[in-house]
C-alpha cells in the first residue's frame, strides 16, 4: 500500500514509466534466461553459435547506449522510448518465428538495440519528470524493476511447459502493449537544443573527469548485481542440492525490496550526503559475499548451510536499495539538463564495459576456486570489488568531485497530491 500511495503522488507519465519497467522486466526475463537452452537443445546449435547469438544481443545493447542517450536528448525521450519498445516487440517476435541463424542474429540485434534506446531514455525522462523527487522516483523504479525480474522467470517457466515460441510471443505481446500505452499516455516535451553537435556533446561528457571517475567507481555495483543471476543462485544450489533454491534468492530480494526500498530512500535522503550513502551501499554489497564464503565448498548440507547464502542475498539487495536511487539521482547532476540522456548513455557504456571485465574476473575466480579447492575465492573476489568501489566513491567525495545534495523540495500540498 505504501508503494501504491507513493506512486500516486507522481504525475501520470511517471506512473506509466514505473509500470512500464515492471512490464519490461517481465517480458525480458520470461524469455532471455531460457534463450540459450532453446538455441542449444531445441535448435541443436553448438555452444559457439549460441555464444555468438547471445553476445551479439549484449554487444548491440551495451555498445549503443550512447546512441540511445544522445537520441533522447536531441529527439525527445518520449519518441526514443516508444521506438525502443517497438523494436523489442519485433525482435522478440523474430525469436518466436525464426529458426535460422540470420533471423536469430537479426532478432538479437533488434532486441539489443531496443534496450540501448529505451534504457537511457526512460531514465532521462524519469529524471526530468520527477523534479526534485528523483531519489523517490528511482527508488520506486527499483521496486517495479525487481518485481518484474521475479515474475518474469516464473512466468517463463510456466510458458515453457507449452513451448518456447509461446514464451517469445507472450514477451513480444507485452512489449506491444507497452508501446501502445506509451504512445497514448506519455506527453511530448519540448527538446532544448544542446548548443553543439552530437560529437561535441560526447566530448563534453567524456571530458568531465569527475563523471568518468564516478562511472568507473561503480564497476562494483554492476558486477555484484550480476551475481544475483550467477554466483548466489549457484551457491544456493550447491548448499541445498536443490535447483529450485535459486528461486528463493530472488524471492528474498523481492520481498525485501517491496517492504524496505521506499523506507530506506526516504530515511537516508535527509541524513548525510547522497555520495556518502552510495559508498555505504557499495560497502554493504561487498560485505554481502562474506557469509556465503564461510560455507562455500562444503557440499549439499541442507537448508542450514543455505542460510548464509540467503543472508548474503539479503545484504546484497539492501546495498542496492541504499545505493541505486542515489546513483541514478547523481548522474544527471554532473552536467547540463540538455545532456541528461547522454550522461546516462555514456554512464552505462563505461560502467558496462568495466562490469564485463569484472564479471570475467569473477568467472575466472569460480573456475580457479573449483579446480584448486578454494571455493571461497569468487566470494572474496566479489567482496573486494564492492569494498574497492565503496572506497573509490568515498575518495571522490572527499576530493569534492561529486555533486552536492540538491536543495530540499517544497512540501507537497494535499491538493497537489490529489491531482498527481
Amino acid at each position: 500500500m505504501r508503494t501504491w500511495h507513493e506512486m500516486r503522488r507522481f504525475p501520470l507519465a511517471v506512473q506509466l514509466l514505473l509500470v512500464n519497467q515492471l512490464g519490461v522486466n517481465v517480458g525480458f526475463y520470461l524469455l532471455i534466461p531460457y534463450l540459450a537452452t532453446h538455441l542449444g537443445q531445441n535448435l541443436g546449435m553448438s555452444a559457439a553459435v549460441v555464444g555468438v547469438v547471445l553476445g551479439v544481443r549484449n554487444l548491440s545493447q551495451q555498445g549503443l547506449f550512447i546512441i540511445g542517450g544522445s537520441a533522447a536528448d536531441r529527439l525527445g525521450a518520449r519518441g526514443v522510448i516508444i521506438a525502443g519498445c517497438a523494436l523489442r516487440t519485433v525482435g522478440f517476435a523474430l525469436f518466436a518465428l525464426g529458426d535460422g541463424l540470420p533471423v536469430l542474429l537479426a532478432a538479437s540485434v533488434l532486441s539489443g538495440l531496443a534496450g540501448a534506446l529505451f534504457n537511457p531514455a526512460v531514465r532521462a525522462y524519469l529524471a526530468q519528470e520527477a523534479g526534485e523527487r528523483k531519489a523517490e522516483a528511482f527508488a520506486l523504479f527499483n521496486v517495479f524493476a525487481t518485481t518484474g525480474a521475479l515474475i518474469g522467470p516464473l512466468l517463463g517457466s510456466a510458458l515453457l511447459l507449452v513451448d518456447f515460441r509461446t514464451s517469445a510471443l507472450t514477451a513480444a505481446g507485452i512489449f506491444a502493449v507497452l508501446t501502445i500505452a506509451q504512445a497514448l499516455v506519455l506527453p511530448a516535451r519540448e527538446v532544448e537544443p544542446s548548443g553543439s553537435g552530437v560529437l561535441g556533446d560526447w566530448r563534453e561528457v567524456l571530458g568531465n573527469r569527475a563523471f568518468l571517475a564516478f562511472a568507473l567507481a561503480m564497476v562494483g555495483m554492476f558486477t555484484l548485481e550480476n551475481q544475483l543471476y550467477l554466483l548466489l543462485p549457484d551457491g544456493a544450489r550447491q548448499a541445498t542440492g536443490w535447483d529450485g533454491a535459486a528461486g528463493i534468492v530472488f524471492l528474498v530480494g523481492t520481498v525485501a525490496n517491496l517492504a524496505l526500498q521506499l523506507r530506506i530512500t526516504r530515511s537516508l535522503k535527509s541524513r548525510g550526503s547522497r555520495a556518502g550513502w552510495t559508498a555505504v551501499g557499495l560497502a554493504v554489497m561487498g560485505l554481502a559475499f562474506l557469509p556465503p564464503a564461510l560455507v562455500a565448498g562444503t557440499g549439499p548440507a541442507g537448508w542450514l548451510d543455505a542460510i548464509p547464502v540467503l543472508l548474503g542475498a539479503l545484504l546484497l539487495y539492501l546495498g542496492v536499495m541504499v545505493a541505486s536511487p542515489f546513483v541514478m539521482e547523481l548522474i544527471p547532476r554532473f552536467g547540463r539538463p540538455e545532456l541528461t540522456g547522454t550522461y546516462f548513455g555514456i554512464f552505462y557504456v563505461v560502467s558496462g564495459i568495466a562490469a564485463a571485465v569484472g564479471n570475467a574476473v569473477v568467472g575466472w575466480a569460480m573456475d580457479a576456486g573449483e579446480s584448486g579447492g578454494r571455493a571461497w575465492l569468487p566470494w572474496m573476489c566479489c567482496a573486494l570489488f564492492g569494498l574497492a568501489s565503496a572506497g573509490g566513491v568515498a575518495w571522490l567525495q572527499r576530493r569534492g568531485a561529486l555533486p552536492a545534495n540538491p536543495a530540499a523540495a517544497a512540501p507537497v500540498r494535499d491538493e497537489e497530491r490529489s491531482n498527481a
Side-chain angles (χ1 to χ4, degrees):
M1 291 299 294
R2 179 183 291 271
T3 299
W4 177 254
H5 175 72
E6 189 70 23
M7 174 182 170
R8 291 282 296 169
R9 295 178 62 194
F10 284 98
L12 182 60
V14 173
Q15 295 179 36
L16 174 65
L17 291 178
L18 297 176
V19 176
N20 178 80
Q21 192 59 30
L22 173 70
V24 164
N25 276 14
V26 169
F28 182 86
Y29 286 106
L30 77 83
L31 177 72
I32 295 300
Y34 307 105
L35 180 58
T37 302
H38 168 68
L39 298 176
Q41 295 183 5
N42 297 345
L43 302 184
M45 293 182 172
S46 66
V49 174
V50 172
V52 168
V53 173
L54 297 180
V56 165
R57 192 210 67 80
N58 191 61
L59 182 63
S60 298
Q61 179 164 316
Q62 296 292 339
L64 297 177
F65 273 133
I66 188 172
I67 303 298
S70 291
D73 288 334
R74 293 184 166 272
L75 304 176
R78 175 184 180 274
V80 177
I81 292 169
I82 294 170
C85 219
L87 279 178
R88 183 152 285 180
T89 302
V90 176
F92 280 17
L94 285 178
F95 277 127
L97 303 176
D99 295 338
L101 183 59
V103 175
L104 293 171
L105 288 175
S108 294
V109 170
L110 288 175
S111 59
L113 176 60
L117 289 176
F118 66 66
N119 280 350
V122 163
R123 286 157 178 81
Y125 197 106
L126 192 64
Q128 293 162 359
E129 292 292 315
E132 295 301 325
R133 301 183 63 229
K134 292 181 180 65
E136 289 94 336
F138 281 111
L140 283 169
F141 192 81
N142 192 26
V143 170
F144 280 84
T146 302
T147 304
L150 174 68
I151 296 173
L154 297 176
L155 180 58
S157 298
L159 291 172
L160 282 175
L161 296 176
V162 182
D163 58 19
F164 178 82
R165 181 165 296 178
T166 301
S167 294
L169 289 176
T170 301
I174 290 173
F175 281 101
V177 171
L178 293 176
T179 302
I180 296 171
Q182 292 156 5
L184 293 175
V185 176
L186 290 182
R189 300 300 187 204
E190 183 178 352
V191 178
E192 295 290 337
S194 68
S196 62
V198 173
L199 294 180
D201 292 348
W202 294 355
R203 281 194 297 268
E204 179 178 336
V205 177
L206 291 172
N208 190 329
R209 295 183 179 180
F211 168 71
L212 289 183
F214 179 71
L216 288 171
M218 297 311 298
V219 61
M221 189 171 88
F222 289 95
T223 300
L224 300 190
E225 274 189 292
N226 285 340
Q227 305 317 308
L228 289 169
Y229 307 99
L230 178 62
L231 191 56
L232 281 162
D234 183 66
R237 284 190 292 264
Q238 290 190 21
T240 63
W242 177 48
D243 288 341
I248 305 299
V249 170
F250 299 115
L251 181 60
V252 166
T254 303
V255 171
N257 195 275
L258 288 169
L260 300 175
Q261 176 68 85
L262 281 172
R263 290 182 171 90
I264 289 173
T265 301
R266 297 181 70 177
S267 174
L268 298 183
K269 67 173 291 187
S270 59
R271 305 172 184 175
S273 69
R274 307 291 204 266
W277 287 121
T278 298
V280 170
L282 289 167
V284 172
M285 291 176 70
L287 295 174
F289 290 85
L290 296 182
L294 300 175
V295 296
T298 58
W303 284 102
L304 187 62
D305 274 1
I307 292 176
V309 179
L310 296 179
L311 175 61
L314 178 59
L315 287 174
L316 181 57
Y317 274 102
L318 286 173
V320 173
M321 283 187 269
V322 171
S324 182
F326 297 137
V327 170
M328 295 296 104
E329 184 187 33
L330 282 171
I331 291 170
R333 293 176 48 234
F334 276 97
R336 296 184 287 137
E338 295 85 1
L339 297 181
T340 296
T342 304
Y343 270 95
F344 273 112
I346 291 181
F347 175 80
Y348 278 105
V349 170
V350 173
S351 57
I353 292 172
V357 175
N359 285 329
V361 173
V362 174
W364 168 84
M366 292 177 70
D367 291 337
E370 185 176 355
S371 61
R374 296 171 293 177
W376 48 267
L377 184 60
W379 302 97
M380 294 304 297
C381 182
C382 288
L384 290 175
F385 267 122
L387 295 176
S389 285
V393 172
W395 178 75
L396 289 171
Q397 183 190 19
R398 284 197 300 272
R399 287 177 56 89
L402 302 182
N405 284 0
V412 180
R413 299 190 301 270
D414 289 340
E415 60 267 24
E416 292 175 331
R417 294 179 184 178
S418 62
N419 293 329

